[in-house]
Amino acid sequence: MRHKILVTGGAGYIGSHTALALLQAGYDVIVIDNLSNSSKVSLERVGEIAGRNPLFIEGDLRDAALVNQIFNDHPIESVLHFAALKSVEESVREPLRYFENNLVSTMTLCQAMANANVFNLVFSSSAVVYGAPSIVPIAEHHPTGQTTNPYGRSKFMIEQMLADLAEADPRWKIAILRYFNPVGAHPNGLIGEDPNGMPNNLVPYICRVAVGTLAELKIFGNDYPTADGTGVRDYIHVLDLADGHLSALDAIRKSGGTHIWNLGTGQGNSVLEVLREFEDISGRPIPYKIAPRRPGDIATCFADVSKAERELGWKAKYTLNEMLRDAWKWQSTNPLGYK
Ligand code: NAD
Ligand code: UDP
């Protein structure tokens, strides 16, 4: 019998790519998503690529009756928890909505899991929990909690909550995955990142400039202490990230307690490097202007990935060129995203 995995937020960007990887690895996949930041077309495409469909349940994770019902109806073995609101900027304007959505949905999920005796959980955290790093590359033991916005604090609080759960009950097997900067798309161009409204992140923004729906990129600061003055980040292909989830799932099945792993490439690239590489790949000029620094931004952030390599046997494979090639393939073949 195939193992059934519940994927929360599975219609979203990273969740849909991971749902596909799970199907391709032979798992059965159940997705719960309220479609607040996604389209169910992503899951139709996932089904098309995989040759079989995930079961989609449209609903909200904060709905305890629904979530308990899902565990009653299906022999779920493990949960991959992607569902969250994720815009830093929006979280500053609407902190309560962010805390309520991200914390309550995680508490409701964990309670329903415990009710159903399901204890394998992989949680989507973020490098945002490190705040402004005191040293790079950033290892998992770097201090956390100095987050600069409500979104980041919601991730930090959930990490603490999960650590307390595992402490209180050794049946919990929890992987906390701290993603660096996920970009790219499935190379076939059928699924990708489709942010609602104005993109906040660099690569989706550049893609929209390249297709002509946005006029120019604003580079937030060129006076950082980096080689060219623009911010440096660790971009990771979403397929590598999806693969990291499968490795983490395998690992926690074999051990108890809470584990934390960075998922990045260990390489840093500047905004200007990303822009130039994208121009080469797409053959389109990306007009830009230098704008003031974005509040809360840091100069340099990249991962020490040795723990994930050592403990999971996982390593990112895709280059920046491949990430941008696949982001462009997705955007150029779907200029309006899933619409
Ligand atoms: P996304 O917005 O594309 O996906 C999140 C999904 O969760 C969406 O489909 C949304 O509709 C759903 N959702 C939100 N609240 C829900 C609720 N209460 N009930 C049911 N569904 C709900 O975002 P993503 O980029 O795929 O991110 C996935 C996870 O990874 C998030 O937890 C995010 O915080 C984390 N993360 C993302 C990044 C990034 O740069 N994309 C970086 C670090 C961490
Ligand atoms: N960035 C930028 N213009 C944009 C969006 C992002 O110059 O329109 C820069 C940002 O300042 C940072 C890098 O690109 O140095 C990555 O930003 P993103 O928002 O993608 O990721 P995060 O800030 O979460 O690392």
Side-chain angles (χ1 to χ4, degrees):
M1 202 186 75
R2 289 192 176 114
H3 285 305
K4 276 198 178 8
I5 312 288
L6 179 67
V7 180
T8 78
Y13 171 44
I14 304 168
S16 57
H17 287 81
T18 308
L20 174 60
L22 288 166
L23 289 168
Q24 289 174 329
Y27 294 100
D28 277 341
V29 175
I30 303 171
V31 168
I32 175 171
D33 200 302
N34 64 5
L35 303 180
S36 58
N37 195 38
S38 53
S39 158
K40 64 181 173 203
V41 177
S42 65
L43 294 173
E44 292 163 15
R45 304 235 179 128
V46 163
E48 215 176 289
I49 305 167
R52 62 195 179 97
N53 289 316
L55 172 68
F56 175 51
I57 298 165
E58 184 173 344
D60 198 295
L61 263 190
R62 291 165 295 178
D63 179 346
L66 171 68
V67 181
N68 280 302
Q69 192 60 48
I70 293 173
F71 282 97
N72 284 338
D73 290 348
H74 303 278
I76 290 165
E77 195 251 354
S78 301
V79 179
L80 269 55
H81 178 34
F82 296 95
L85 296 174
K86 64 162 183 178
S87 158
V88 167
E89 189 238 331
E90 208 173 55
S91 80
V92 173
R93 282 188 280 114
E94 300 178 76
L96 271 184
R97 186 159 79 91
Y98 268 65
F99 286 122
E100 201 271 334
N101 188 77
N102 295 357
L103 296 174
V104 175
S105 59
T106 306
M107 289 190 282
T108 310
L109 173 68
C110 291
Q111 185 61 62
M113 288 177 69
N115 295 344
N117 282 311
V118 176
F119 292 103
N120 297 341
L121 175 65
V122 179
F123 171 63
S124 301
S125 190
S126 165
V128 74
V129 299
Y130 296 118
S134 51
I135 189 166
V136 285
I138 309 171
E140 289 83 351
H141 55 72
H142 185 286
T144 54
Q146 298 304 312
T147 43
T148 54
N149 55 72
Y151 164 70
R153 273 186 278 280
S154 77
K155 291 288 170 191
F156 175 65
M157 289 175 185
I158 293 169
E159 284 199 3
Q160 291 184 306
M161 189 170 89
L162 297 179
D164 285 341
L165 272 189
E167 182 76 30
D169 184 340
R171 288 175 298 172
W172 282 99
K173 299 178 175 197
I174 301 175
I176 291 174
L177 302 182
R178 293 182 180 152
Y179 312 159
F180 280 66
N181 288 61
V183 298
H186 195 282
N188 67 12
L190 282 175
I191 55 173
E193 185 170 12
D194 184 22
N196 274 343
M198 187 70 90
N200 295 304
N201 297 110
L202 179 66
V203 173
Y205 202 104
I206 290 180
C207 284
R208 300 254 176 120
V209 174
V211 288
T213 46
L214 291 170
E216 65 177 8
L217 174 73
K218 287 189 199 63
I219 295 186
F220 298 136
N222 67 347
D223 57 352
Y224 283 106
T226 61
D228 62 25
T230 65
V232 167
R233 296 290 183 276
D234 183 339
Y235 297 95
I236 173 169
H237 198 297
V238 67
L239 290 194
D240 276 330
L241 201 61
D243 199 37
H245 287 74
L246 270 65
S247 302
L249 187 58
D250 279 349
I252 58 167
R253 281 220 187 90
K254 295 186 193 128
S255 61
T258 305
H259 303 265
I260 300 177
W261 290 294
N262 283 341
L263 296 183
T265 62
Q267 302 289 317
N269 287 100
S270 74
V271 176
L272 281 170
E273 283 169 347
V274 172
L275 182 132
R276 300 286 179 232
E277 187 100 19
F278 190 93
E279 287 182 324
D280 274 359
I281 289 164
S282 64
R284 308 237 171 146
I286 305 295
Y288 69 88
K289 74 164 181 248
I290 304 296
R293 290 183 180 192
R294 186 170 62 177
D297 266 4
I298 53 179
T300 301
C301 172
F302 56 94
D304 179 334
V305 289
S306 55
K307 187 167 185 269
E309 276 183 45
R310 199 172 55 245
E311 296 179 359
L312 300 177
W314 169 90
K315 192 175 179 350
K317 295 192 276 287
Y318 290 92
T319 62
L320 181 67
N321 187 281
E322 291 164 325
M323 299 175 211
L324 299 176
R325 175 201 68 194
D326 294 340
W328 176 234
K329 167 99 189 245
W330 155 252
Q331 188 72 56
S332 54
T333 46
N334 304 268
L336 300 177
Y338 291 114
K339 279 155 222 84

